[in-house]
Amino acid sequence: MTVLDADVAQKTTEKTAYVIAPQPIPALPVRGERGLFPVHRIYCVGRNYAEHAIEMGHDPNREPPFFFQKNPDNLLLTGEFPYPAMTKDVHYELEMVVALGRGGKDIPVESALDCVYGYGVGLDMTRRDLQGEMKKLGRPWEIGKAFEHSAPCSELVPASAIGHPSQGLVWLDVNGERRQTGDINQMIWKVPEMISYLSGLFELRPGDLIMSGTPAGVGAIKPGDVMTGGVAGVGELRVAVV
Ligand code: MN
């Protein structure tokens, strides 16, 4: 056996055979649990409340839902959102977060809620100016949507504790002033429909999150602002812009 062979043999038997150290697995705390919820992917649904579709200049009719993704490591749990680079127009979008404990392909609407582990409250922070430029050019949205810290999120609450909320206030205040108000019963695509539709496009996995869309009232924030928001029956979130 040459020195090289011995080296390869040793590497393949070692458990941690990475050439560089792997990054930590992004994870969310869970109310009432010691263990964390490990996050696999973050899917976001666009224009899922009619009033928000109208404010963004789109037809509120029930077209097929569309999705984009954020990166799992865009999650922010510290409550401090650093104002991002290369933008002058950062918007909040308060959304109910759906956390999947089970996945699959072609999941029927009728059994889709069986995949849900729990729910949370998240912010789909958006560099609206960059998103707008990309829209105009027909380019992907990543630079507007999937940047560091762009997904502040609350702890999750298990569906075993709160059930599957289908109505209830969704709201956001900036510096104590109400900016976004809606009800999750106004979602154009309901949670089971979203899961079913997504599972036809992608193989869903345990650990996937779905940000379910935002009600009307999106707007800009600046450093020093404090965003507080929530979904009735699920939880609340407080994030300072630093
Ligand atoms: Mn959104």
Side-chain angles (χ1 to χ4, degrees):
M1 188 184 274
T2 65
V3 172
L4 191 63
D5 288 341
D7 210 38
V8 170
Q10 194 195 344
K11 266 192 185 162
T12 50
T13 54
E14 273 173 20
K15 275 187 185 162
T16 51
Y18 296 106
V19 293
I20 58 168
Q23 295 293 302
I25 295 173
L28 294 172
V30 179
R31 188 184 301 165
E33 296 282 350
R34 281 202 171 179
L36 298 172
F37 180 90
V39 176
H40 175 247
R41 287 184 186 165
I42 305 177
Y43 296 100
C44 305
V45 57
R47 289 170 218 146
N48 201 28
Y49 289 76
E51 294 295 313
H52 174 60
I54 292 166
E55 78 178 347
M56 297 301 287
H58 298 282
D59 185 342
N61 289 321
R62 199 171 143 100
E63 293 164 0
F66 74 91
F67 297 92
F68 57 92
Q69 289 183 47
K70 287 180 183 272
N71 302 300
D73 65 356
N74 295 155
L75 286 167
L76 176 74
L77 296 168
T78 62
E80 293 199 337
F81 172 76
Y83 198 88
M86 305 286 283
T87 178
K88 291 189 169 68
D89 194 24
V90 180
H91 280 205
Y92 49 78
E93 296 187 2
L94 194 287
E95 313 199 358
M96 184 169 82
V97 175
V98 183
L100 302 189
R102 278 208 259 153
K105 283 190 209 172
D106 299 319
I107 299 165
V109 172
E110 300 72 40
S111 58
L113 286 181
D114 297 344
C115 297
V116 176
Y117 172 80
Y119 298 87
V121 180
L123 278 163
D124 167 13
M125 298 305 294
T126 303
R127 291 193 279 213
R128 192 72 77 201
D129 43 1
L130 300 189
Q131 183 199 23
E133 285 170 30
M134 293 304 104
K135 274 185 189 174
K136 233 181 282 167
L137 295 167
R139 290 184 184 161
W141 285 9
E142 271 85 354
I143 62 169
K145 288 290 194 178
F147 54 93
E148 279 67 41
H149 317 302
S150 63
C153 197
S154 71
E155 64 177 4
L156 298 176
V157 281
S160 59
I162 60 163
H164 296 281
S166 58
Q167 56 174 35
L169 184 67
V170 48
W171 58 278
L172 178 94
D173 291 352
V174 177
N175 304 329
E177 241 174 68
R178 187 60 40 102
R179 296 288 180 83
Q180 286 195 277
T181 318
D183 192 297
I184 53 175
N185 69 10
Q186 296 162 344
M187 284 183 189
I188 298 169
W189 292 90
K190 310 297 182 197
V191 172
E193 294 171 326
M194 259 182 248
I195 293 170
S196 178
Y197 192 90
L198 255 182
S199 74
L201 290 164
F202 302 99
E203 180 174 354
L204 298 179
R205 294 287 183 93
D208 287 344
L209 299 181
I210 303 172
M211 299 190 76
S212 58
T214 197
V218 299
I221 44 83
K222 58 183 185 315
D225 286 344
V226 175
M227 302 176 282
T228 46
V231 179
V234 175
E236 295 190 0
L237 179 64
R238 180 186 188 282
V239 179
V241 184
V242 298

